[in-house]
Amino acid sequence: MIITIANQKGGVGKTTTVVNLATALASIDKKVLVIDMDPQYNSSMSFNAYNTNRSIYKVFSNDTDINNAIQKSQIPKLDVISACEDLAAAEYELADDNNRNYLLKKFISNINNIYDYIFIDTPPTLGLLTVSSLTASDEVLIPVQCEFFALEGLSKLIKTIELVKNNLNINLKLNGIILTMYDKRNSLSSLIEKEAREYFDTNVYKFNVPRNVTLSEAPSHGLPAIIYDLKCSGSQAYIALAKEFLERSNTNGGK
Ligand SMILES: Nc1ncnc2c1ncn2[C@@H]1O[C@H](COP(=O)(O)OP(=O)(O)O)[C@@H](O)[C@H]1O
Ligand SMILES: [Mg+2]
């Protein structure tokens, strides 16, 4: 099953969610691949797997086969395809290619059967990189930061998902919305949660991710928080979310 993590807002927890959810699933013996489609390559760095020579950009520019771009991470069962800065140029370089939205889907079709789950991390834009990730995916997962204006951009994102669904990928489903950086001492967090649950109902994951400093420190050690400090509240939250993720992907008839 292929899952894109998307939100055109930056800093909402997309990368943290990809990295820790993928690690949690690999740790229960699922075979997982993370594809970093963000030219800022944060998830590649979080796995200590940043590599410009074997990046997804090299696959797009036909300089390497996708099988050669797959790198092992330090975590058993978890592989990574790195992003690199050049990926930002793909948007312009592929502008004349009528198949540009389907390219990632085509590349992934060569490796899809190796993995139980493929997670695609995306940049904070709704351009080609995000649209082609959505086109290649079975489901989309949306992290939402518990802060003012958090829900404002969501309608645009949902509209984009609908457009992709209607024009490029009829099978695309919403996996769910994860509320991140939840601060229980801050009444704004509970207000955002209330609004999100009222509006998006059961699409919102039952568990929230708390604001937890270990989640933000772990990447500087090149390790997912779940490996760096399993006991911290952030790691525990992502473990609970991974269980819920499995339930949801089963309910959605996950492949
Ligand atoms: N639950 C959290 N608690 C504290 N810091 C977090 C949490 N989730 C993410 N962060 C930090 O916030 C910043 C943005 O998160 P990130 O996952 O990179 O977002 P995005 O990929 O959407 O830009 C990063 O520095 C990250 O380490
Ligand atoms: Mg990111």
Side-chain angles (χ1 to χ4, degrees):
M1 195 175 94
I2 305 162
I3 309 101
T4 284
I5 286 65
N7 188 331
Q8 77 278 22
K9 279 197 176 198
V12 298
K14 288 183 290 298
T15 298
T16 308
T17 298
V18 167
V19 168
N20 288 291
L21 214 47
T23 305
L25 292 169
S27 70
I28 54 167
D29 231 27
K30 304 290 183 192
K31 183 86 178 134
V32 183
L33 172 69
V34 170
I35 303 179
D36 192 352
M37 283 290 280
D38 183 355
Q40 292 180 58
Y41 54 84
N42 290 346
S43 50
S44 313
M45 292 288 278
S46 303
F47 288 114
N48 209 8
Y50 173 57
N51 187 333
T52 49
N53 296 323
R54 292 167 66 193
S55 71
I56 191 71
Y57 177 73
K58 295 283 181 189
V59 180
F60 269 97
S61 45
N62 292 317
D63 286 335
T64 190
D65 184 87
I66 191 157
N67 284 288
N68 183 48
I70 295 174
Q71 303 181 79
K72 288 202 179 323
S73 72
Q74 322 92 303
I75 297 140
K77 297 238 159 196
L78 200 157
D79 295 341
V80 180
I81 298 182
S82 177
C84 63
E85 272 176 358
D86 291 344
L87 194 53
E91 199 107 10
Y92 310 102
E93 290 170 4
L94 296 170
D96 294 332
D97 186 335
N98 290 334
N99 279 326
R100 63 188 179 280
N101 290 315
Y102 294 103
L103 286 176
L104 184 63
K105 184 186 172 84
K106 187 186 82 185
F107 296 134
I108 292 179
S109 69
N110 297 321
I111 53 165
N112 193 11
N113 58 357
I114 313 175
Y115 295 98
D116 295 310
Y117 297 101
I118 298 178
F119 288 96
I120 308 177
D121 193 11
T122 59
T125 58
L126 291 173
L128 172 71
L129 297 173
T130 299
V131 168
S132 54
S133 300
L134 291 169
T135 304
S137 293
D138 301 298
E139 300 192 352
V140 51
L141 180 54
I142 307 174
V144 169
Q145 187 182 350
C146 293
E147 51 138 37
F148 207 55
F149 297 132
L151 301 176
E152 293 231 321
L154 264 187
S155 55
K156 188 156 184 234
L157 176 58
I158 303 276
K159 219 176 264 170
T160 303
I161 292 169
E162 285 303 314
L163 274 174
V164 170
K165 208 173 148 168
N166 292 335
N167 296 294
L168 299 163
N169 178 11
I170 190 84
N171 297 318
L172 183 64
K173 292 193 189 75
L174 175 64
N175 171 280
I177 294 170
I178 293 182
L179 300 175
T180 66
M181 300 186 225
Y182 188 90
D183 182 352
K184 59 176 189 286
R185 292 162 306 179
N186 185 340
S187 58
L188 189 57
S189 276
S190 52
L191 187 69
I192 301 289
E193 178 181 27
K194 187 167 166 279
E195 278 185 15
R197 290 191 189 283
E198 265 169 23
Y199 193 75
F200 294 103
D201 200 22
T202 54
N203 281 317
V204 183
Y205 270 64
K206 278 182 277 182
F207 291 98
N208 303 334
V209 183
R211 189 169 273 287
N212 173 235
V213 70
T214 310
L215 285 179
S216 57
E217 287 169 356
S220 64
H221 301 271
L223 287 173
I226 287 188
I227 305 290
Y228 178 66
D229 179 2
L230 177 63
K231 293 210 175 75
C232 76
S233 62
S235 297
Q236 290 299 312
Y238 276 110
I239 295 212
L241 285 167
K243 286 191 192 134
E244 201 179 338
F245 171 85
L246 288 174
E247 287 167 20
R248 281 174 182 268
S249 31
N250 288 337
T251 339
N252 288 347
K255 293 177 261 179

